[in-house]
Amino acid sequence: PLHKVLHLYAILGNLNSYHDSYRNTRDTILRNLMQQVDRAANTNSQQGLSRVLPRYLDSLVGFFTVECAHRRCVEIADGAFSHAELSSLWEKACMHISQLCSMFSIT
């Protein structure tokens, strides 16, 4: 579906709009995932985090699966994240997980 949307934007001559919108949307989705887990961690105990963390990890896996599939179908110039950008997002997500685990002394 993403490549079809990209194709429509290309036909309309509006690739820059797609590029900006896609990146902003995906960045917002990742940020919202992190904020949801932070709220759950702040309002719950370690037990509450243990309920939320598996769903968070599932969501992260889904997020990065979509990004990797998108990157295979779409050229970087057409809106896909570069490998460096994906690595940066991955590092950000891993750091967030690490901070949550250390907050509750989970190793």
Side-chain angles (χ1 to χ4, degrees):
L2 288 174
H3 64 278
K4 291 179 182 180
V5 171
L6 174 65
H7 181 69
L8 290 172
Y9 273 84
I11 288 172
L12 297 171
N14 209 357
L15 279 176
N16 287 338
S17 177
Y18 167 82
H19 180 80
D20 294 340
S21 175
Y22 181 82
R23 285 171 184 250
N24 289 336
T25 299
R26 296 303 286 172
D27 187 54
T28 299
I29 289 170
L30 185 59
R31 192 172 41 253
N32 286 343
L33 282 173
M34 291 180 186
Q35 289 172 352
Q36 288 171 5
V37 172
D38 286 342
R39 281 192 298 275
N42 289 333
T43 59
N44 293 314
S45 63
Q46 184 174 358
Q47 181 183 10
L49 181 63
S50 68
R51 288 188 203 136
V52 173
L53 197 55
R55 283 189 306 210
Y56 177 54
L57 295 175
D58 289 346
S59 296
L60 285 178
V61 168
F63 177 89
F64 285 103
T65 299
V66 167
E67 290 311 317
C68 288
H70 184 247
R71 191 167 187 275
R72 284 189 206 118
C73 297
V74 177
E75 295 294 323
I76 292 169
D78 292 333
F81 285 113
S82 69
H83 180 70
E85 289 170 315
L86 280 177
S87 293
S88 175
L89 290 173
W90 178 251
E91 289 296 322
K92 186 187 215 182
C94 289
M95 187 183 322
H96 188 248
I97 292 168
S98 178
Q99 289 169 346
L100 286 171
C101 291
S102 61
M103 184 168 62
F104 288 103
S105 300
I106 302 171
T107 56

